């Protein structure tokens, strides 16, 4: 099973930067359905520049994702679990999720990668920002 996870190639979604989030979601849903039935073409699984790995689907709390060569970066999204945090001067149980980002320093500056990850965190914390493009 682990070997399968290491060699699989996820479907590639193109032109995401210039597409509405709803369009990207529709394309990904279509590609996911076709991937499950074996109807994806090889061309749809190669040529990407960035991957998102849903490690949380397998129960992972934290991992270091490996870059799929020749891509420049990969972000892993992990499980949401309750954690003790300080809020309003007391300890409360709050949902927490880890994100991790691996990137090729020859192509991506560390400062920009951190700003990207911070932006993703803020969008996850308040998804309304994705709809109104704040």
């Amino acid at each position: 099973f682990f070997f399968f996870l290491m060699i699989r190639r996820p479907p590639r979604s193109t032109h995401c930067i210039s597409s509405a989030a709803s369009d990207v979601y529709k394309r990904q849903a279509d590609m996911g359905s076709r991937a499950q039935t074996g109807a994806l073409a090889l061309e749809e699984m190669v040529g990407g520049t960035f991957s998102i790995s849903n490690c949380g689907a397998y129960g992972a709390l934290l991992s270091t994702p490996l870059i799929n060569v020749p891509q420049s970066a990969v972000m892993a999204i992990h499980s949401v679990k309750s954690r003790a945090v300080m809020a309003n001067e007391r300890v409360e149980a709050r949902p927490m999720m880890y994100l991790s980002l691996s990137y090729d320093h020859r192509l991506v500056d560390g400062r920009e990668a951190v700003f990207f990850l911070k932006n993703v965190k803020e969008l996850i914390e308040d998804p309304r920002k994705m709809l109104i493009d704040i």
Side-chain angles (χ1 to χ4, degrees):
F1 177 73
F2 180 72
F3 182 72
F4 169 74
L5 291 176
M6 297 288 290
I7 63 167
R8 71 179 174 83
R9 287 280 186 214
R12 173 179 53 96
S13 198
T14 59
H15 308 293
C16 295
I17 201 78
S18 60
S19 300
S22 60
D23 293 336
V24 174
Y25 174 78
K26 288 174 189 170
R27 285 198 309 259
Q28 284 298 108
D30 172 60
M31 292 176 85
S33 297
R34 290 188 293 124
Q36 289 178 347
T37 62
L40 274 181
L42 179 62
E43 296 79 33
E44 294 177 287
M45 295 184 278
V46 297
T49 57
F50 181 83
S51 289
I52 300 173
S53 181
N54 183 5
C55 300
Y58 304 105
L61 293 177
L62 187 61
S63 68
T64 302
L66 301 177
I67 299 170
N68 296 313
V69 176
Q71 296 185 357
S72 59
V74 58
M75 180 175 63
I77 300 171
H78 300 89
S79 297
V80 177
K81 300 287 182 185
S82 290
R83 297 278 186 244
V85 296
M86 287 296 294
N88 304 320
E89 299 295 321
R90 61 180 210 240
V91 177
E92 295 180 3
R94 296 275 177 99
M96 298 283 289
M97 179 181 74
Y98 292 104
L99 297 173
S100 52
L101 181 67
S102 296
Y103 50 93
D104 186 339
H105 275 278
R106 296 171 296 177
L107 303 170
V108 180
D109 182 61
R111 178 180 180 270
E112 301 306 318
V114 170
F115 282 136
F116 168 77
L117 203 54
K118 181 179 179 281
N119 189 36
V120 170
K121 172 195 152 305
E122 290 171 356
L123 292 172
I124 290 171
E125 289 176 341
D126 187 3
R128 295 174 298 174
K129 290 180 180 179
M130 286 186 265
L131 299 175
I132 57 177
D133 197 29
I134 293 179

